Amino acid sequence: MHITQLNRECLLHLFSFLDKNSRKNLAKTCPRLLEVFQDPLLWSLLNFHSPVELKKDNFLLGPALKYLSICWYSERVKVCNIEDWMKNSFQKDFCNRHEHTVSDFLLDVCNRCPNLLSLTLSGCGHVTDECILLLLRSCPKLRTLKLENCVRITDRTLQAVTLHGASLQTLHVDFCRNITQAGLQTLREKCPSVLLRAERSANMIPDSQPDRKLTLEKASRKLVQL
């Protein structure tokens, strides 16, 4: 029996064992397999390991998507974690190449994936509170939100959860250095049913604004002079 003689359910099951590139390559072999590749039921789960993967055309976004993970563990993540005003020209150029990649992708998710149940972001240093707020509004069924090493996430995301995370059951904000203890306490009080984890977040050194930093440096100089 030729593979194309299998019924739709069997083909979908076979495709489910393949990675995104393999699915795309197989779909190019004949119209029958292309139809299977384009079936929304095949794309209920998506995992990405770098921002570059988000720009490829080897996957589909749609209402069937329920589980999404974007986890970037490369050493280059450290560059994105540096405060913008402290980056040199090389570091700024590197970040400019992908600064909006994850945010733009999540905007597509907001517009096309209203049934999303779980989102995991790790090492996504350019994702902002505004992006997470829009996602919570657009995906009311979201039950699990895991954020790790996302340095631009602040207490405003925690506030957004209290306002728009009615279905949220699990929230992780690990190693998000601009999350504060006060913000975590407020969330615990307003959403006691949410399983909250914030490993190291409130104990890390948060970013400080350039003007405040300069003020502290001037004050230190004055103390030394005295």
Side-chain angles (χ1 to χ4, degrees):
M1 177 182 289
H2 193 272
I3 186 174
T4 56
Q5 295 178 291
L6 296 173
N7 61 34
R8 185 78 161 216
E9 289 74 18
C10 288
L11 288 174
L12 282 171
H13 185 64
L14 289 175
F15 264 78
S16 69
F17 290 98
L18 303 177
D19 59 31
K20 295 187 289 295
N21 283 332
S22 298
R23 291 179 183 180
K24 182 67 175 182
N25 291 333
L26 185 58
K28 293 178 180 178
T29 59
C30 73
R32 167 83 166 145
L33 296 180
L34 178 59
E35 290 180 3
V36 178
F37 175 83
Q38 295 174 337
D39 193 319
L41 294 177
L42 186 62
W43 303 102
S44 62
L45 182 151
L46 282 172
N47 294 317
F48 299 94
H49 304 289
S50 76
V52 176
E53 293 183 14
L54 302 177
K55 296 184 177 181
K56 296 182 179 181
D57 62 347
N58 57 3
F59 62 91
L60 294 180
L61 281 182
L65 181 63
K66 294 184 178 180
Y67 306 94
L68 172 62
S69 172
I70 306 173
C71 297
W72 194 23
Y73 296 118
S74 167
E75 285 292 317
R76 290 173 290 181
V77 171
K78 295 179 181 179
V79 177
C80 302
N81 289 342
I82 300 172
E83 294 91 330
D84 290 338
W85 59 86
M86 294 182 65
K87 292 174 183 173
N88 58 39
S89 58
F90 173 79
Q91 293 166 332
K92 289 180 180 179
D93 179 65
F94 171 77
C95 286
N96 286 338
R97 298 176 191 173
H98 64 266
E99 182 173 4
H100 301 290
T101 301
V102 178
S103 296
D104 290 345
F105 180 82
L106 290 178
L107 181 60
D108 282 342
V109 171
C110 291
N111 293 330
R112 301 163 63 179
C113 310
N115 298 312
L116 189 68
L117 298 178
S118 175
L119 173 65
T120 299
L121 300 177
S122 180
C124 300
H126 299 296
V127 171
T128 64
D129 296 311
E130 290 74 18
C131 187
I132 300 300
L133 169 60
L134 181 59
L135 187 102
L136 288 169
R137 286 177 173 174
S138 304
C139 305
K141 299 179 182 180
L142 192 69
R143 296 200 300 250
T144 301
L145 177 60
K146 297 181 179 180
L147 306 173
E148 179 187 50
N149 203 13
C150 297
V151 296
R152 293 192 181 182
I153 297 301
T154 72
D155 287 352
R156 284 181 292 173
T157 287
L158 303 183
Q159 183 179 18
V161 168
T162 65
L163 297 174
H164 306 287
S167 300
L168 205 66
Q169 300 174 0
T170 300
L171 174 64
H172 292 179
V173 284
D174 299 333
F175 298 92
C176 296
R177 65 174 179 249
N178 289 300
I179 294 289
T180 69
Q181 194 63 52
L184 294 172
Q185 183 60 35
T186 300
L187 178 63
R188 289 189 177 97
E189 293 173 354
K190 293 186 176 181
C191 304
S193 62
V194 173
L195 181 60
L196 177 62
R197 192 180 80 181
E199 185 177 349
R200 294 285 298 277
S201 292
N203 296 323
M204 300 178 75
I205 300 175
D207 296 346
S208 58
Q209 296 299 321
D211 54 346
R212 183 181 177 185
K213 188 174 182 180
L214 290 174
T215 301
L216 291 174
E217 289 178 353
K218 290 179 180 178
S220 298
R221 293 194 194 101
K222 289 182 179 179
L223 289 173
V224 171
Q225 292 173 356
L226 292 175

